[in-house]
Amino acid sequence: MISRIGYLLVLVIAVGGFFVQSRLQSVFDRYSKETFASGMTGAEVAEKMLRDHGITDVTVTHTSGRLTDHFDPTDKTVNLSDAVYGSNSVAAAAVAAHECGHAVQHAEGYEPLKMRSALARLSALSAQFSTWAMLGGLVLSLFVRNSLFLWIGVGVVAVSALFSLVTLPVEYNASKRALAWLEGQEMLTPEQHGRAEEALTWAARTYVVAALSSIAVLLYYVGYAQSY
């Protein structure tokens, strides 16, 4: 029963994920064409936000790709994509400030970020080996008549689900910090502030979809393990 629910959830969430991703692309494209009120580029916004928070050991760098922006706590860099680094659009300002929000979290020792960082390597390994762990558990259970190995596989999948859940407060808090700073600096018109908020909200929803998807997959594997 649980596995059926998980399977149905995976299908429903896959459709929802496609819609959210499409909407995010549409919103980003639209606000990438609107000039940021202050005229600053994404890189300049990031550098100013870091300075305003007294962060001097983080470097703003350029990375290739689209929507590949991220903060890397290991080498303390805010990496901005092609469409953000040199752009003076509303979307670029919102994304740059969001990534700096993560840098501020790191500087302040924000607990959910510390937890996510601790889970990151383990989650990456579990994502690589979860399927093999479940298949190996299935094969072994046929010979030893024990579902223990399947439950070990479930545990591996659960790590990815936990990582996705911990990511949610980290992303929403970074957006909250970004919008509060932009508003405090009076860099956006009221209309542009609403557009920046819309762009970051849709970006955050991709993480909600990822979390729901990981939970659905976990439920599917739990039901699978219970059937043996």
Side-chain angles (χ1 to χ4, degrees):
M1 179 65 178
I2 294 179
S3 62
R4 290 180 181 177
I5 294 175
Y7 182 71
L8 289 174
L9 282 175
V10 168
L11 291 178
V12 172
I13 293 169
V15 175
F18 176 78
F19 169 76
V20 170
Q21 191 64 40
S22 297
R23 180 62 177 167
L24 172 61
Q25 292 283 355
S26 174
V27 168
F28 189 85
D29 287 343
R30 188 189 320 149
Y31 298 148
S32 291
K33 298 174 183 176
E34 182 174 346
T35 302
F36 183 39
S38 75
M40 298 171 67
T41 65
E44 291 170 338
V45 168
E47 289 166 353
K48 179 170 173 50
M49 183 169 175
L50 292 174
R51 287 197 307 270
D52 287 352
H53 286 85
I55 300 174
T56 59
D57 59 347
V58 173
T59 304
V60 178
T61 65
H62 176 245
T63 186
S64 61
R66 178 178 173 80
L67 296 179
T68 53
D69 311 88
H70 65 282
F71 167 67
D72 189 340
T74 59
D75 61 5
K76 293 187 176 182
T77 56
V78 170
N79 302 272
L80 302 179
S81 64
D82 297 329
V84 173
Y85 187 87
S87 172
N88 62 351
S89 69
V90 171
V95 171
H98 171 87
E99 297 308 331
C100 286
H102 289 310
V104 176
Q105 290 174 338
H106 185 263
E108 295 181 355
Y110 183 60
E111 287 299 329
L113 178 64
K114 290 166 65 175
M115 187 181 300
R116 186 177 75 168
S117 297
L119 287 169
R121 181 178 292 273
L122 190 57
S123 177
L125 289 173
S126 69
Q128 292 178 359
F129 297 111
S130 59
T131 300
W132 291 108
M134 290 299 299
L135 289 175
L138 174 60
V139 173
L140 288 172
S141 66
L142 294 176
F143 290 98
V144 299
R145 302 294 180 182
N146 193 316
S147 63
L148 173 62
F149 297 102
L150 282 174
W151 284 107
I152 291 174
V154 168
V156 174
V157 175
V159 172
S160 293
L162 178 60
F163 178 79
S164 294
L165 288 173
V166 171
T167 294
L168 292 179
V170 175
E171 294 300 326
Y172 274 95
N173 179 263
S175 291
K176 181 179 179 180
R177 291 171 185 266
L179 291 168
W181 178 78
L182 287 169
E183 184 175 22
Q185 294 296 309
E186 298 183 348
M187 290 181 157
L188 296 165
T189 65
E191 293 78 12
Q192 288 186 337
H193 186 274
R195 289 160 189 161
E197 183 174 12
E198 181 183 4
L200 293 181
T201 297
W202 280 105
R205 284 170 181 167
T206 63
Y207 292 98
V208 174
V209 170
L212 291 175
S213 179
S214 65
I215 292 172
V217 170
L218 177 61
L219 287 174
Y220 175 80
Y221 282 132
V222 166
Y224 197 71
Q226 284 182 334
S227 66
Y228 274 83

